[in-house]
Amino acid sequence: MASPPRLVILLLALAGFASMASMRVTDAMLPALSQAFARPVADVAQNITLFAIAYGVMQLCYGPMGDRFGTLRVIGLATLACALGALGSALAESLPMLLVFRTLTGATAAAIIPLSMAWVGDNVPYEQRQVTLAHMLSGAVMGLISGQVAGGFLADTLGWQAAFALLTLLFVAAGGLLLEALRRQPGLSPPKVDQGRIAFFSRIREVLLIARARRILALVFLEGIAAFGALAFVASHLYTRLDVSLTQAGLMVALFGVGGLIFAALARPLVARLGEPGLAAGGGVLMGLGFVGLALATLPALATAAAFAAGLGFYMMHSTLQINATQMAPAMRGTAMAVFAGCLFLGQSVGVSLGGLMLRLADSQWLLAGAGLWLLTLGLIFGWLLRQWHSKQVAAAALP
């Protein structure tokens, strides 16, 4: 299996950047949206929930479509479609209109990252795959950082609509460049004509019949509930608790993404030194302590350090989930990765909904601290499962 073209990795990173920036752009602007539409924060936070629901549900379509028509082709077209959702969000004059276009953006952005991971799975040897994924997904991490920072900064300066206008331009550039690269080199992502018609539910059923796949999907669903569900409210928590501006809150939360960039830079030595079980357990512990730190921080510096720890821990554990997910069903990798991403972001939608409910009943401290303890436990369980799986593989390899 030859090394994939560097240009494709860069373009997928650019598309992932735009996707994650769009996903997280409203986190730090929730107070501004609340003021603009004269609705409580819990109400405007529905835009995050609907984005995540659409993102998760549409995985059922994009996975089989990527398997059938070629992953890069589907990614490019979906990225251009995202531009329509971002433009509509910029022009929204009411909360219902904003919710409609945020749902559209989530539905179309759903194709980008999971099919990018599927393309890497099809084109990169397993022993190089976790490092390649980390490098490619550094674009997504930068999008997460930029979305949070830009959302708060532009809400404080030019207005929240400017953030969506900027996203529109990013989506047009990313989608256009990907489709042009594919036009020049059709062999980068050939359609799998031998797959026959798109049998959505039969493909998904085949993935779910695999016991290990079910465990990985359950883990990523539970991770999404706690990690992304809580992350959506961190900026609002810091804005209220520490009395900082939306820009400052967005910058502090952006350290979550910086932790991911540090992991991408150190992925090779960390993978070699800790192994998959160590990355999973250590990442869960670090992420859990980070969210507890965000809940209890009384100074901006402490909150910044906690956000960094949570981000580093998240990418340690989540990248380990990703690498295992690429091997859940190699013959249907596009479908498997789409179901994986769907579980993650359906978990996010559940988490944001539960978070909104908790905020009506209790302080945001309880929300973040509870998420931290949840993630710490989840990381330890995942590390234990990996040790069990690796032991079975070693035992099976030793048999004559």
Side-chain angles (χ1 to χ4, degrees), residues 318-373:
H318 187 68
S319 72
T320 309
L321 278 166
Q322 286 176 338
I323 189 66
N324 279 270
T326 63
Q327 289 300 106
M328 291 191 307
M332 300 174 293
R333 194 171 272 122
T335 299
M337 294 310 300
V339 175
F340 175 83
C343 287
L344 174 64
F345 291 103
L346 286 175
Q348 173 181 328
S349 67
V350 172
V352 174
S353 297
L354 290 176
L357 178 62
M358 285 189 66
L359 288 181
R360 298 178 189 275
L361 304 174
D363 189 84
S364 55
Q365 275 186 306
W366 292 100
L367 169 62
L368 299 185
L373 296 176

Side-chain angles (χ1 to χ4, degrees), residues 5 74 129 171 198 202 219 280 298 333:
V74 176
R129 202 174 294 165
F171 280 125
I198 300 175
S202 65
L219 286 167
T298 55
R333 194 171 272 122

Side-chain angles (χ1 to χ4, degrees), residues 22 26 37 43-55 58 81-109 160 164:
S22 178
T26 61
F37 296 121
D43 287 353
V44 295
Q46 291 176 26
N47 88 86
I48 302 171
T49 304
L50 292 174
F51 185 108
I53 290 173
Y55 192 108
M58 285 302 293
C82 287
L84 297 177
L87 180 61
S89 298
L91 300 176
E93 297 180 350
S94 66
L95 181 58
M97 186 179 296
L98 176 67
L99 296 180
V100 167
F101 284 107
R102 286 291 286 163
T103 303
L104 173 61
T105 308
T108 50
W160 58 267
F164 291 113

Side-chain angles (χ1 to χ4, degrees), residues 3-15 72 119 136 173-174 176-185 188:
S3 297
R6 189 178 299 272
L7 174 63
V8 176
I9 297 297
L10 291 174
L11 291 178
L12 292 176
L14 178 61
L72 291 186
W119 188 86
M136 185 195 72
L177 289 170
L178 264 175
L179 291 177
E180 176 61 17
L182 187 58
R183 185 187 70 80
R184 292 174 179 271
Q185 294 180 268
L188 289 173

Side-chain angles (χ1 to χ4, degrees), residues 61-73:
C61 299
Y62 290 125
M65 285 175 66
D67 285 338
R68 176 64 177 87
F69 298 111
T71 50
L72 291 186
R73 184 171 290 101

